[in-house]
Amino acid sequence: MAWKDPDIEGVRALLAAGAPQPGQPEPTMAQRRAAIDGFGEMVPLADGVSLAPETLAGISTERHTPQGAVDGRRLLYLHGGAYVIGSPRSHRPLASQLAVAARSVAVVPDYRLGPENRFPAAVEDAVAVYAELLKETDAGRIVVAGDSAGGGLSLALALALKQRGLAQPAGYYVISPWADLTQSSETYRTKAATDPMIQRDNVARSAADYLGSADARDPLASPVFGDFRDVAPVLIQVGSEETLLGDSLKVADVAGQACVQVRLEIWPEMIHVFQAFFFQCAAARRAIADAGAWMEARFTS
Amino acid sequence: MAWKDPDIEGVRALLAAGAPQPGQPEPTMAQRRAAIDGFGEMVPLADGVSLAPETLAGISTERHTPQGAVDGRRLLYLHGGAYVIGSPRSHRPLASQLAVAARSVAVVPDYRLGPENRFPAAVEDAVAVYAELLKETDAGRIVVAGDSAGGGLSLALALALKQRGLAQPAGYYVISPWADLTQSSETYRTKAATDPMIQRDNVARSAADYLGSADARDPLASPVFGDFRDVAPVLIQVGSEETLLGDSLKVADVAGQACVQVRLEIWPEMIHVFQAFFFQCAAARRAIADAGAWMEARFTS
């Protein structure tokens, strides 16, 4: 493929450099966790953001406070990593950029991961942290965001909040959400050749690690099977070259049919969670700016 | 249904008042055309817009020139009406609002309609007018827009321009596009009860009037069956309560998979071409403003 975007080849080269070489043994889970955490330390925090650890509802979190954050705003950011890797550390650079874009404190919980802690542990942790944030501010001043598994978890949280009678936040901003753990999207096939990160076999393994014996069709695991009526507005950003593009289309379908305000942005030539490559990709910076404007419009103050 | 939007009941009441009463005979095609044209004269043009008739490539058009239009910009607006009714007259109010929102001259052709002039007459007229506009300005300063059948026709034009080697415009803004003349969307079923305008049987009849013996799966009739590679960016706006919601989801799917920049906005509780009710519906005005900002960002100058 020849790409028109001037930056995407560089992003692909960076990914290829970090990928296991042919003949190398598969990395262990500990190695995969160390690698993704290391990615978070390659890139500095956004200018003017201060970072502090804290514990919310018994869960370790990191709090990003940008200069000029609007009082009372909270961005609850749920990191990606297929429910088995990733942490507040791995997603520090992206979370700090989003905090600046939304002019909001961002809170990034270290929610429990599989296989040590299976579904619905991650959902329970997300609900617990959200409930803590409701003690700090109003629901209308909270936006929930996340990438990949964290995007799916954001939408699972949307459904869990309904079940528990908790107020919806101002909105959900989901980046390349993994929202169907049955892996039914046709884009696993049509985009297999152009997606450098996500293939059906890998995610199926992660889904098994996360789910254990739980049903992948449980809406809190795969929100595309859920009832989105009365869920707050949703912004979805996804790359056109992702195997997970179909998950985003399904979220738009299911949420839109349920009378939810939906904006789906498909970014040409972009790949899974391309926003994380903001430091070398102008489209990523534009996507973050777009999302920032959307979040600013959602916050009630 | 109880709606949350404060204005949508009023829009529905207006539509109900204009609908044929039970027991009345079905309106003739001439009556339907007169009725939709009359709608266009119930509402004044946007402030500061002057209107002039002109002929482009032998086709009658209306030109809307807003005060403060940016030099060289052209909005080619393709009106809706199921390829059998509608005209520049019926869509004057909406076209004038969009011209203001885009700070652009808008050109609205009276393209040929079925059953008198069958497919692909409408597509040929759209191509002919677009080619004329290319003599007035650069492709990067043209946005193509349309509603319902005009949205489908905009996307058919996108594919026809590729076939003929004509430059793509800056973008396509399609409102509730009718883009699948096989009527395959599941939302014909799931939204039948809440859509006050479009039901599968009516549009199937219009499709037959337009297509004659042509194949509904021809991409110039049903662009969802086409190849969107290298098509300019697309903004789709659609209401959540439309039977045609599925057509918009399919356009997003097909165009996005083909590496086109896509933004799909699903507006909760809104109905088919709700933007046309800007005079009594705040969500319609917000949608037009959103689209205006999108078009402004697309124009190269």
Side-chain angles (χ1 to χ4, degrees), chain B residues 213-283:
Chain B
S213 61
D215 184 355
R217 293 178 55 96
D218 187 317
L220 297 187
S222 295
V224 296
F225 300 111
D227 173 5
F228 277 79
R229 204 154 284 272
D230 299 321
V231 162
V234 178
L235 167 63
I236 311 158
Q237 289 182 336
V238 65
S240 72
E241 300 316 309
E242 296 199 38
T243 54
L244 287 177
L245 171 57
D247 281 34
S248 284
L249 290 159
K250 260 184 237 156
V251 171
D253 187 343
V254 169
Q257 286 210 47
C259 213
V260 170
Q261 186 177 324
V262 174
R263 176 161 136 187
L264 167 65
E265 297 179 353
I266 305 174
W267 288 72
E269 305 195 351
M270 292 295 120
I271 62 169
H272 191 56
V273 198
F274 62 96
Q275 296 83 346
F277 301 93
F278 61 85
F279 49 87
Q280 65 174 150
C281 179

Side-chain angles (χ1 to χ4, degrees), chain B:
Chain B
M1 273 306 275
W3 304 107
K4 293 176 201 158
D5 185 278
D7 303 323
I8 196 66
E9 288 291 7
V11 172
R12 288 176 177 271
L14 180 72
L15 283 167
Q21 299 306 304
Q24 277 189 334
E26 285 243 334
T28 63
M29 190 71 87
Q31 286 170 329
R32 291 172 62 199
R33 288 176 180 165
I36 194 170
D37 282 359
F39 176 82
E41 295 185 358
M42 284 169 47
V43 180
L45 290 185
D47 283 349
V49 174
S50 63
L51 186 71
E54 69 177 338
T55 300
L56 282 178
I59 296 158
S60 295
T61 66
E62 287 188 355
R63 178 172 294 232
H64 296 248
T65 304
Q67 278 169 7
V70 176
D71 234 30
R73 285 188 184 173
R74 295 292 181 271
L75 177 62
L76 172 55
Y77 193 79
L78 300 168
H79 70 78
Y83 293 110
V84 293
I85 65 173
S87 71
R89 231 175 107 203
S90 62
H91 284 65
R92 265 180 206 157
L94 180 55
S96 75
Q97 293 291 329
L98 294 176
V100 169
R103 293 196 302 152
S104 174
V105 161
V107 171
V108 189
D110 198 13
Y111 63 82
R112 284 172 290 169
L113 300 175
E116 296 89 343
N117 293 282
R118 291 198 144 126
F119 173 83
V123 183
E124 283 167 4
D125 288 355
V127 171
V129 172
Y130 182 85
E132 276 302 301
L133 293 180
L134 279 181
K135 297 177 189 166
E136 294 181 13
T137 194
D138 305 322
R141 297 199 283 176
I142 301 174
V143 167
V144 176
D147 62 285
S148 194
L153 184 56
S154 298
L155 300 168
L157 175 60
L159 303 175
L161 295 179
K162 284 177 56 177
Q163 286 178 353
R164 301 182 195 206
L166 289 169
Q168 288 285 313
Y172 299 91
Y173 163 42
V174 293
I175 297 171
S176 304
W178 182 32
D180 175 2
L181 273 60
T182 72
Q183 283 67 258
S184 73
S185 293
E186 75 159 0
T187 47
Y188 280 107
R189 184 176 50 75
T190 60
K191 296 296 176 181
T194 57
D195 189 318
M197 298 170 80
I198 308 283
Q199 299 292 327
R200 195 196 306 248
D201 289 354
N202 318 126
V203 288
R205 219 178 317 158
S206 297
D209 279 342
Y210 174 50
L211 291 169
S213 61
D215 184 355
R217 293 178 55 96
D218 187 317
L220 297 187
S222 295
V224 296
F225 300 111
D227 173 5
F228 277 79
R229 204 154 284 272
D230 299 321
V231 162
V234 178
L235 167 63
I236 311 158
Q237 289 182 336
V238 65
S240 72
E241 300 316 309
E242 296 199 38
T243 54
L244 287 177
L245 171 57
D247 281 34
S248 284
L249 290 159
K250 260 184 237 156
V251 171
D253 187 343
V254 169
Q257 286 210 47
C259 213
V260 170
Q261 186 177 324
V262 174
R263 176 161 136 187
L264 167 65
E265 297 179 353
I266 305 174
W267 288 72
E269 305 195 351
M270 292 295 120
I271 62 169
H272 191 56
V273 198
F274 62 96
Q275 296 83 346
F277 301 93
F278 61 85
F279 49 87
Q280 65 174 150
C281 179
R285 294 191 290 275
R286 286 197 302 272
I288 290 170
D290 259 30
W294 186 89
M295 292 189 279
E296 290 251 28
R298 294 270 75 71
F299 284 120
T300 52
S301 61

